[in-house]
Amino acid sequence: MRCLPIPGKENEFSKAQEYWRDIVNCSGFIGQFGGWDILSPQALILAFWQNQESIDRFMDEVHDRIANLSQQQLTYEYCTVDYLNIQMSIAAMNTPDLSKIGYVRMANCLLYPDGRENFFADQKSIWNPSMSSCSGMLGGYVGQFNQEASRYLVISFWDSAQSHSDYVNNLFPKLEGKVDIEQYIKDLSGHQFLINTKWNVFPQNVNHTKG
């Protein structure tokens, strides 16, 4: 989810986001967190569910009630929601403990029609094992956009912004020289955010659910 708050209503948006803690008991819900994009005024939120059926049930039975309570729609100019299916895990931890994440990096990759094989080969042999060896790297996923089969999101989880910065400054330049992403990536953009812990929703946080 990518939301652009109305200028001056960032605090109201943030407080309204806390109402979504009520999804903690929804069947199939795994976890949700987010923060402010460091490169734009957008709020970024990642939600993890076991399957599409769980999401559909949430939308039918719970979503509108929370939206009406929070009145969050009055605090933003737009909110874009994309659905993705996980295609690969980044192996620092196969089942990431989402509650330990402090910083998130997302690379939005639009591939050429014949680019999938080389994209995943480089992810598997170069990017994923190298990132997984970094101190503070907690894992991640490669997800495919449901509505755009040639677009993928590479999500990496870090314990802190400093750990990610160390990777970018010390290891990334070496890895970049080993690949030729222009052969298979048509367009590349990215997002980075510090976790806003007030937006965290994890099953173990049930006692903190808003009443």
Side-chain angles (χ1 to χ4, degrees):
M1 288 163 277
R2 293 178 291 120
C3 303
L4 180 64
I6 296 170
K9 290 196 174 184
E10 291 83 1
N11 288 339
E12 288 88 343
F13 175 92
S14 184
K15 290 177 181 177
Q17 186 61 34
E18 296 180 40
Y19 278 82
W20 295 100
R21 290 178 180 174
D22 281 349
I23 67 177
V24 71
N25 291 317
C26 289
S27 175
F29 174 73
I30 297 172
Q32 178 171 293
F33 54 87
W36 297 106
D37 188 358
I38 67 170
L39 302 176
S40 78
Q42 295 181 110
L44 305 172
I45 297 132
L46 290 172
F48 294 86
W49 297 80
Q50 290 179 357
N51 49 49
Q52 186 64 45
E53 290 75 18
S54 298
I55 298 172
D56 292 341
R57 190 180 309 113
F58 157 69
M59 294 299 295
D60 290 340
E61 301 176 1
V62 179
H63 177 275
D64 289 355
R65 175 179 61 82
I66 298 176
N68 290 334
L69 283 172
S70 71
Q71 292 292 290
Q72 192 174 32
Q73 67 275 14
L74 301 179
T75 69
Y76 58 75
E77 294 183 1
Y78 66 76
C79 185
T80 301
V81 180
D82 292 302
Y83 292 91
L84 300 91
N85 281 305
I86 292 172
Q87 302 294 307
M88 176 185 288
S89 294
I90 299 176
M93 51 185 187
N94 291 325
T95 306
D97 183 349
L98 302 180
S99 66
K100 294 183 179 180
I101 299 167
Y103 194 78
V104 177
R105 159 69 177 176
M106 296 185 289
N108 191 326
C109 307
L110 177 62
L111 307 187
Y112 288 108
D114 60 351
R116 177 184 167 91
E117 183 176 349
N118 287 336
F119 171 75
F120 276 97
D122 282 351
Q123 288 293 326
K124 184 176 181 179
S125 64
I126 297 175
W127 294 110
N128 292 358
S130 298
M131 282 196 295
S132 296
S133 69
C134 294
S135 176
M137 203 281 176
L138 302 178
Y141 297 112
V142 179
Q144 182 181 34
F145 284 77
N146 285 5
Q147 295 181 321
E148 198 170 358
S150 294
R151 188 177 293 278
Y152 294 83
L153 193 67
V154 181
I155 310 168
S156 58
F157 304 135
W158 302 81
D159 65 357
S160 67
Q162 185 60 54
S163 294
H164 179 261
S165 179
D166 290 343
Y167 157 71
V168 170
N169 293 327
N170 300 324
L171 182 58
F172 179 80
K174 300 176 184 178
L175 301 178
E176 192 176 28
K178 296 180 179 180
V179 300
D180 185 5
I181 64 172
E182 293 182 358
Q183 287 189 345
Y184 52 82
I185 295 183
K186 183 178 181 180
D187 183 67
L188 176 65
S189 59
H191 301 284
Q192 301 176 42
F193 64 90
L194 283 166
I195 294 294
N196 184 330
T197 57
K198 292 182 178 180
W199 299 358
N200 284 356
V201 188
F202 304 123
Q204 60 265 38
N205 287 355
V206 63
N207 291 331
H208 301 289
T209 300
K210 209 172 180 73

